[in-house]
Amino acid sequence: MTIPQFSRRNFLSTSAALAGAAAAWPMMATADQKPRAKVERLGIGSIGLRYQGSVITEQARKYADVVAISDVDRHVREQARASFGSTPRIFEDYQEMLSRKDVDVVMIATPDHWHTKMLVDAVRAGKDVYCEKPLTLTIDEGKVLRNVVGNSDRVVQVGTWQRHDHNFRLAVEMVRQGRIGKLQTVTCTTSKNPTGGPFSEMPVPEHFNWDLWQGPTPDVPYIPQRSHYTFRWWYEYSGGKMTDWGAHHIDIAQWAIDSLPVNIAGKATLPTVENGYNVAIDFAADIDYANGVKLIISDEGRDGILFEGDKGRIFVNRGGAYGAPVDELKSNPLPRESFTVYDNDNLTRPERSGKIDAIVNHMGNFFDCVESRKKPISDIESQHRSVSTCHLANISMRLGRPLQWDPQLEEFVNDSEANTWLKRDYRAGFEIG
């Protein structure tokens, strides 16, 4: 058996043919095996190739061919092209790449403030999309994505790969199947945000399109620390650890909680350094869910997620899953065939843990769904709801007071000031159409 070949002919085939492909899918090979000859394989277009973009593109090329690369940093895009065989076309502006007919699948690994617009543009261009987390910069962006993707026939996977780390997946299944009794409290812990600044304004490097990097955000003087990896520590472009790691941990927590937040009480110490990182120095939040579960978010303690029920507790992080209920699996196992929280598993894929191995299965699930046209494990609705909880915590922290949330209307209750934080203005020329 070999890796399935994702051909453009199959990609554009009728729903009847896709149904037939889906029926045969479980018999296809795992992602560890080498592909057959490249015959009419799907074309990948990747946007944002600095580290994570290269990581996910490398996994995607097991199923399709990299035909185009887009990055606003010439050094990055030229290095990426060399890494992927020197054959892909390179573009500074992703819009030019999306117009290519040989691009069937798009990888998005840009800074957070670009995710929504690029995803919308890619879907409207008829592409299936794998988009890095966090999905959005604001809650209203998630509503836009729900409508655009929901009204299309496109497959979209969000890069919350912890859903394919076996330890996290097992913990969620155990909680949902009552292995710790009635779930009462979940604690998500991550490290603190970095601090830094003031930083100096610098001339824009000749190889870097700073205007295009900023895109929808306000035009400000170039400070190197605003771009590349450290964009995460500026609220203009991201949400700090609350969305960076929260998009992973809070997603897993909410997957297990199986409800939506209604009350948020965040607290934070915010920096006051001019031209410095502006995300919270210290942060925490208590969130009440409609089903009575409480989520505690903290930047102090052991990194990971603690699930506490009335009959036991489970702690899980990227090192493993721990607790008496986990130990009891030796005598009372919970095989993958008995998992219930996602119904489109490819059971031929081995259980994996750790970042790269989990991404192997997460990317495999995406291409499974490109072929079958079924919903991927990190679909738009679940990821919009997960990152919305991260945004809610950040909004409460920055306003400095508790908030009440209506998860059906997706707005704050009797709080016009807080509701102004559900969206941001876009710079002219970069609006989401």
Side-chain angles (χ1 to χ4, degrees), residues 47-245:
I47 312 173
L49 274 297
R50 191 176 185 276
Y51 181 61
Q52 188 65 13
S54 295
V55 169
I56 61 176
T57 301
E58 179 61 32
Q59 296 304 323
R61 72 192 297 211
K62 296 177 181 179
Y63 303 93
D65 296 327
V66 182
V67 299
I69 287 168
S70 175
D71 199 289
V72 299
D73 187 322
R74 174 166 48 81
H75 289 176
V76 171
R77 63 180 180 265
E78 289 181 350
Q79 181 179 355
R81 178 170 63 177
S83 299
F84 293 110
S86 299
T87 57
R89 293 285 303 276
I90 59 176
F91 301 89
E92 183 176 67
D93 189 339
Y94 76 96
Q95 296 280 12
E96 296 179 45
M97 189 196 79
L98 291 182
S99 68
R100 292 181 62 88
K101 293 183 179 180
D102 60 348
V103 172
D104 305 298
V105 177
V106 171
M107 304 283 125
I108 299 174
T110 61
D112 307 352
H113 65 281
W114 264 113
H115 288 177
T116 296
K117 179 166 174 53
M118 287 180 173
L119 208 164
V120 166
D121 291 342
V123 166
R124 287 178 173 165
K127 320 298 184 183
D128 291 329
V129 184
Y130 183 108
C131 181
E132 267 305 312
K133 62 79 197 170
L135 179 62
T136 61
L137 192 66
T138 69
I139 291 174
D140 275 8
E141 285 186 346
K143 300 175 189 177
V144 171
L145 288 174
R146 173 197 288 136
N147 292 334
V148 171
V149 177
N151 289 325
S152 76
D153 60 353
R154 297 298 88 196
V155 172
V156 176
Q157 174 88 299
V158 181
T160 46
W161 55 262
Q162 281 187 178
R163 287 193 170 210
H164 266 110
D165 182 301
H166 182 66
N167 292 315
F168 289 102
R169 179 80 182 277
L170 178 64
V172 170
E173 290 286 349
M174 292 180 71
V175 171
R176 292 277 289 268
Q177 296 192 38
R179 294 293 182 102
I180 63 171
K182 180 176 174 58
L183 181 62
Q184 297 175 327
T185 305
V186 184
T187 303
C188 288
T189 305
T190 184
S191 57
K192 293 182 179 297
N193 286 314
T195 58
F199 302 116
S200 300
E201 298 175 9
M202 302 286 287
V204 179
E206 182 271 336
H207 59 85
F208 187 50
N209 189 328
W210 173 236
D211 180 68
L212 197 53
W213 187 94
Q214 294 178 97
T217 63
D219 183 16
V220 297
Y222 174 69
I223 294 174
Q225 290 81 5
R226 283 182 176 269
S227 62
H228 293 319
Y229 181 83
T230 49
F231 76 85
R232 292 164 171 81
W233 321 131
W234 305 80
Y235 281 128
E236 295 91 325
Y237 317 116
S238 186
K241 289 288 182 73
M242 185 66 75
T243 58
D244 187 45
W245 273 79

Side-chain angles (χ1 to χ4, degrees), residues 106-418:
V106 171
M107 304 283 125
I108 299 174
T110 61
D112 307 352
H113 65 281
W114 264 113
H115 288 177
T116 296
K117 179 166 174 53
M118 287 180 173
L119 208 164
V120 166
D121 291 342
V123 166
R124 287 178 173 165
K127 320 298 184 183
D128 291 329
V129 184
Y130 183 108
C131 181
E132 267 305 312
K133 62 79 197 170
L135 179 62
T136 61
L137 192 66
T138 69
I139 291 174
D140 275 8
E141 285 186 346
K143 300 175 189 177
V144 171
L145 288 174
R146 173 197 288 136
N147 292 334
V148 171
V149 177
N151 289 325
S152 76
D153 60 353
R154 297 298 88 196
V155 172
V156 176
Q157 174 88 299
V158 181
T160 46
W161 55 262
Q162 281 187 178
R163 287 193 170 210
H164 266 110
D165 182 301
H166 182 66
N167 292 315
F168 289 102
R169 179 80 182 277
L170 178 64
V172 170
E173 290 286 349
M174 292 180 71
V175 171
R176 292 277 289 268
Q177 296 192 38
R179 294 293 182 102
I180 63 171
K182 180 176 174 58
L183 181 62
Q184 297 175 327
T185 305
V186 184
T187 303
C188 288
T189 305
T190 184
S191 57
K192 293 182 179 297
N193 286 314
T195 58
F199 302 116
S200 300
E201 298 175 9
M202 302 286 287
V204 179
E206 182 271 336
H207 59 85
F208 187 50
N209 189 328
W210 173 236
D211 180 68
L212 197 53
W213 187 94
Q214 294 178 97
T217 63
D219 183 16
V220 297
Y222 174 69
I223 294 174
Q225 290 81 5
R226 283 182 176 269
S227 62
H228 293 319
Y229 181 83
T230 49
F231 76 85
R232 292 164 171 81
W233 321 131
W234 305 80
Y235 281 128
E236 295 91 325
Y237 317 116
S238 186
K241 289 288 182 73
M242 185 66 75
T243 58
D244 187 45
W245 273 79
H248 283 305
H249 283 1
I250 293 173
D251 174 55
I252 295 297
Q254 194 156 287
W255 203 20
I257 293 170
D258 194 27
S259 184
L260 294 171
V262 291
N263 293 298
I264 307 96
K267 57 182 180 180
T269 302
L270 299 174
T272 58
V273 178
E274 185 177 0
N275 283 341
Y277 299 148
N278 57 20
V279 295
I281 299 171
D282 303 298
F283 63 90
D286 292 343
I287 300 176
D288 298 324
Y289 281 74
N291 64 356
V293 176
K294 177 179 289 292
L295 172 64
I296 300 170
I297 302 170
S298 176
D299 66 353
E300 294 184 344
R302 185 182 180 188
D303 184 284
I305 309 167
L306 176 64
F307 297 100
E308 298 178 272
D310 60 3
K311 295 181 180 179
R313 44 197 272 165
I314 296 171
F315 179 81
V316 61
N317 61 16
R318 294 184 181 181
Y322 312 92
V326 179
D327 297 336
E328 292 166 4
L329 291 172
K330 296 175 182 178
S331 59
N332 185 17
L334 183 60
R336 279 176 65 197
E337 292 79 5
S338 300
F339 285 8
T340 62
V341 299
Y342 177 63
D343 59 5
N344 191 30
D345 265 341
N346 182 344
L347 295 179
T348 69
R349 300 188 187 281
E351 297 172 357
R352 296 179 182 274
S353 296
K355 179 175 180 177
I356 299 300
D357 277 352
I359 291 175
V360 169
N361 277 7
H362 204 60
M363 188 63 69
N365 173 253
F366 171 59
F367 278 97
D368 286 350
C369 294
V370 167
E371 182 77 1
S372 69
R373 314 313 293 173
K374 293 183 178 179
K375 183 184 295 186
I377 198 168
S378 292
D379 65 298
I380 285 291
E381 180 63 22
S382 69
Q383 298 312 298
H384 160 54
R385 291 295 190 167
S386 291
V387 76
S388 287
T389 302
C390 302
H391 295 322
L392 291 172
N394 266 341
I395 293 170
S396 178
M397 285 161 39
R398 296 176 72 185
L399 285 173
R401 55 185 173 83
L403 301 169
Q404 186 178 354
W405 178 249
D406 185 324
Q408 279 69 49
L409 295 178
E410 293 184 88
E411 62 183 34
F412 294 104
V413 178
N414 299 324
D415 196 327
S416 57
E417 181 188 18

